[in-house]
Amino acid sequence: GAGILAYTQDENLQKFFSSHQNQTTDHLSTYFFEPLGNGAVTSLIIGGFYLGGRLSDNKRLSGTSLIAAKSFITASIGTQIIKHLTHRPRPYQDAIADDNVWEGPFEGFDFTSFPSGHSAAAFSVATVFAFEYRETVWVPILAYTLAGGTAISRLYDNKHWASDVLIGSALGFVTGRFMWKQSKKKNSRFSILPAAGFRQGSMSIFIRLS
């Protein structure tokens, strides 16, 4: 429902952010928030937490980092599948931005606006740490603030429509929450292997049930 509501306001929100840009927020978005959703940077952050946990013998931190890694990989694969099924142009890709254009599947690799991969990545990691360390008030606040800033930066930089960002964020949150809850089940028979194979244009996701 929220996604549909955002879709009805995509054009208005795109114009709002485009008309409220300045040098300070440009730098904040480009050099701080946007990189947090980048796959390479996200991987380095997760790897840093994992390494820090191992070096300090903090099994909780290293274990949570592995859960975050699985969440990030799963959310990333999910967003890529949806992107290439919908092929929605980004706001800057058309001479006149049109939020109603959807090219559908089998249209190449040019239009990949929906959903926002940066938003999904940021929330998939933030949610795992927010749930695991929810007894420490500042952790969820910081995690969701950084993830939210990353999502908003995609609107601010004219890289996504509002509905892209909202659905991407929701996908990341749901994935993170699911992975965290599964990690707490002693006899869980569900796990997603952090690997994907590509061959002759097809993609495989491996799910282990035992």
Side-chain angles (χ1 to χ4, degrees):
I4 293 173
L5 179 61
Y7 181 67
T8 65
Q9 299 300 315
D10 273 343
E11 185 177 352
N12 292 331
L13 289 170
Q14 187 264 338
K15 291 179 179 178
F16 173 82
F17 281 99
S18 296
S19 62
H20 288 79
Q21 296 177 335
N22 59 65
Q23 188 174 19
T24 300
T25 51
D26 283 351
H27 290 164
L28 184 63
S29 177
T30 302
Y31 298 112
F32 183 73
F33 284 113
E34 191 277 339
L36 293 179
N38 180 281
V41 175
T42 303
S43 298
L44 287 174
I45 292 173
I46 296 173
F49 279 126
Y50 176 76
L51 183 60
R54 291 299 299 268
L55 292 176
S56 62
D57 197 27
N58 188 331
K59 294 182 179 180
R60 186 183 186 187
L61 179 58
S62 59
T64 303
S65 300
L66 290 178
I67 299 168
K70 291 201 295 183
S71 178
F72 165 62
I73 292 170
T74 304
S76 298
I77 293 174
T79 56
Q80 289 301 315
I81 292 174
I82 300 173
K83 282 176 181 289
H84 292 291
L85 288 176
T86 58
H87 282 108
R88 187 186 196 188
R90 298 175 187 270
Y92 69 85
Q93 287 182 308
D94 289 328
I96 299 177
D98 188 349
D99 61 307
N100 293 312
V101 177
W102 301 79
E103 298 290 344
F106 314 118
E107 290 294 332
F109 297 91
D110 294 330
F111 302 141
T112 56
S113 187
F114 180 84
S116 168
H118 278 67
S119 302
F123 273 93
S124 68
V125 175
T127 301
V128 171
F129 282 96
F131 270 87
E132 178 63 30
Y133 293 96
R134 61 192 183 282
E135 77 281 0
T136 305
V137 178
W138 65 267
V139 173
I141 294 175
L142 178 61
Y144 287 131
T145 297
L146 294 176
T150 300
I152 293 175
S153 76
R154 305 306 284 165
L155 289 172
Y156 181 86
D157 293 336
N158 205 33
K159 298 294 180 64
H160 283 284
W161 303 98
S163 54
D164 302 337
V165 168
L166 182 61
I167 298 301
S169 300
L171 177 62
F173 174 82
V174 170
T175 303
R177 183 173 182 273
F178 176 80
M179 287 298 183
W180 179 81
K181 290 185 69 175
Q182 286 296 313
S183 71
K184 300 303 176 182
K185 294 182 179 180
K186 295 181 179 180
N187 298 314
S188 175
R189 296 173 61 82
F190 183 94
S191 63
I192 297 180
L193 301 182
F198 296 85
R199 179 178 297 177
Q200 297 179 347
S202 63
M203 178 172 66
S204 301
I205 302 173
F206 303 96
I207 300 177
R208 183 172 60 202
L209 299 176
S210 61

